[in-house]
Amino acid sequence: MRKKTCIIISGATAVGKTSYGIELAEKHRTQIISADSRQCYKELNIGVAKPTSEQLARVRHFFVNSHSIHEEVNTKIFEHYALGAVNEIFHSNDVAIIVGGTGLYVNAFSHGLDEIPQVSYSVRKEVDEMYRNDGIGWLREKIRQEDPLYFENGEMENPRRMLRALEVKLETGKSILDFHSGKKSKRNFEITKIKLELPRNTLYERINSRVDVMMENGLLEEARSLFQFRHLNALQTVGYKELFDHFLGNTSLDEAVSQIKKNTRN
């Protein structure tokens, strides 16, 4: 029997992963699993740079328009979903394609996840309320005080990861990093990784142009329609939160668009 192979395509935002993935999928007559943590939401379209309807018609994509912003989607859920999807693809094809966007999702699919203790509702509710009231500054300082290990080594630019880290520390007294055993799950298929790159100046130009096109295509209206749901985790993301700040009167529209470009580049 030939060994089944999953090709994982990774790279920075706007580097061309979607187009390359579709070309590769058509070459192998196979299907794609998206590893983007935002394109799975049905309600988010323009701001998450989903494949176009024409692209989706050319190649089937798993984990695109598969969930609602009102559902919980996390790394564990993606791992389970993606392993089911790749097995479905392997029923009729020796090759599957993953188009990556979220590093934790790609790592979970490739190597599995450590078991991290569940957090009680009371702790999660307390942390969530404090974050809503006092914002990212409070969250950063709280982690510095409670979990210096994560503060120094964790993802301190990702509010969702930061919230999760703080919840685990308050619940267990241990840093979430203490639960990372480093043990890797063995997959029964081969994994090949392709990383796409562009010169930084070219990439920045493409990002800036993409944001301008998004605005021309109706991102402002899309964000306005989602404003009432801005407290949901799915909407704590670049492209929407900056426009929410504009709607709240905290920034001008030009400032919000400039911030989207800056945050996307970062």
Side-chain angles (χ1 to χ4, degrees):
M1 285 181 61
R2 290 181 60 189
K3 191 80 170 179
K4 304 290 187 180
T5 300
C6 183
I7 302 173
I8 298 177
I9 302 167
S10 65
T13 298
V15 77
K17 297 187 297 295
T18 297
S19 296
Y20 183 77
I22 289 172
E23 291 175 12
L24 201 59
E26 289 181 327
K27 176 182 177 181
H28 290 281
R29 298 181 180 180
T30 190
Q31 300 167 344
I32 290 172
I33 304 167
S34 167
D36 188 292
S37 63
R38 308 184 306 159
Q39 291 182 358
C40 64
Y41 296 115
K42 305 169 189 176
E43 298 88 347
L44 310 187
N45 291 290
I46 300 170
V48 298
K50 271 182 188 168
T52 65
S53 56
E54 185 269 336
Q55 289 173 323
L56 293 173
R58 284 168 60 188
V59 174
R60 182 183 179 186
H61 283 65
F62 292 85
F63 210 63
V64 173
N65 296 326
S66 55
H67 293 74
S68 168
I69 57 174
H70 302 286
E71 297 178 68
E72 180 180 5
V73 179
N74 55 38
T75 311
K76 189 68 177 177
I77 288 171
F78 173 78
E79 180 193 16
H80 183 266
Y81 179 103
L83 289 174
V86 81
N87 285 329
E88 181 178 334
I89 294 171
F90 285 153
H91 280 312
S92 57
N93 201 293
D94 289 334
V95 176
I97 310 291
I98 283 192
V99 177
T102 303
L104 285 176
Y105 281 15
V106 171
N107 288 337
F109 174 82
S110 302
H111 307 302
L113 287 171
D114 296 298
E115 289 297 326
I116 296 174
Q118 293 291 316
V119 174
S120 64
Y121 173 77
S122 60
V123 168
R124 180 161 292 174
K125 183 172 182 290
E126 177 186 358
V127 170
D128 185 60
E129 286 180 353
M130 292 295 290
Y131 174 62
R132 286 197 205 179
N133 291 333
D134 299 321
I136 190 70
W138 168 84
L139 181 58
R140 187 174 287 109
E141 177 61 20
K142 188 70 172 176
I143 291 174
R144 188 188 68 79
Q145 295 172 2
E146 299 285 344
D147 190 350
L149 177 64
Y150 187 88
F151 184 81
E152 291 295 331
N153 301 287
E155 290 188 69
M156 289 299 293
E157 298 299 328
N158 187 320
R160 281 189 290 178
R161 307 283 180 245
M162 294 163 69
L163 286 167
R164 176 70 172 142
L166 181 58
E167 291 168 357
V168 169
K169 184 63 167 66
L170 295 178
E171 180 75 30
T172 68
K174 295 183 178 181
S175 173
I176 195 171
L177 299 182
D178 290 332
F179 294 98
H180 293 181
S181 65
K183 295 179 182 178
K184 295 183 178 181
S185 299
K186 291 185 178 180
R187 303 305 188 195
N188 61 352
F189 49 86
E190 299 287 346
I191 292 177
T192 299
K193 295 184 178 181
I194 299 173
K195 183 177 182 182
L196 304 183
E197 295 183 341
L198 283 172
R200 179 175 293 184
N201 289 344
T202 303
L203 191 63
Y204 282 6
E205 289 172 3
R206 292 180 69 162
I207 288 171
N208 292 342
S209 176
R210 173 186 279 191
V211 174
D212 289 335
V213 170
M214 285 178 174
M215 293 301 295
E216 292 170 5
N217 288 343
L219 178 58
L220 185 67
E221 291 72 24
E222 179 173 279
R224 198 184 305 278
S225 72
L226 295 165
F227 182 68
Q228 62 181 314
F229 306 119
R230 64 190 181 280
H231 60 283
L232 297 177
N233 279 340
L235 288 162
Q236 309 302 309
T237 187
V238 175
Y240 296 97
K241 61 182 182 180
E242 296 87 354
L243 292 174
F244 295 157
D245 272 348
H246 167 61
F247 298 148
L248 291 168
N250 297 329
T251 62
S252 69
L253 181 57
D254 286 344
E255 289 170 338
V257 172
S258 178
Q259 198 63 35
I260 293 173
K261 293 176 180 178
K262 177 183 176 183
N263 291 340
T264 305
R265 293 193 301 267
N266 291 343

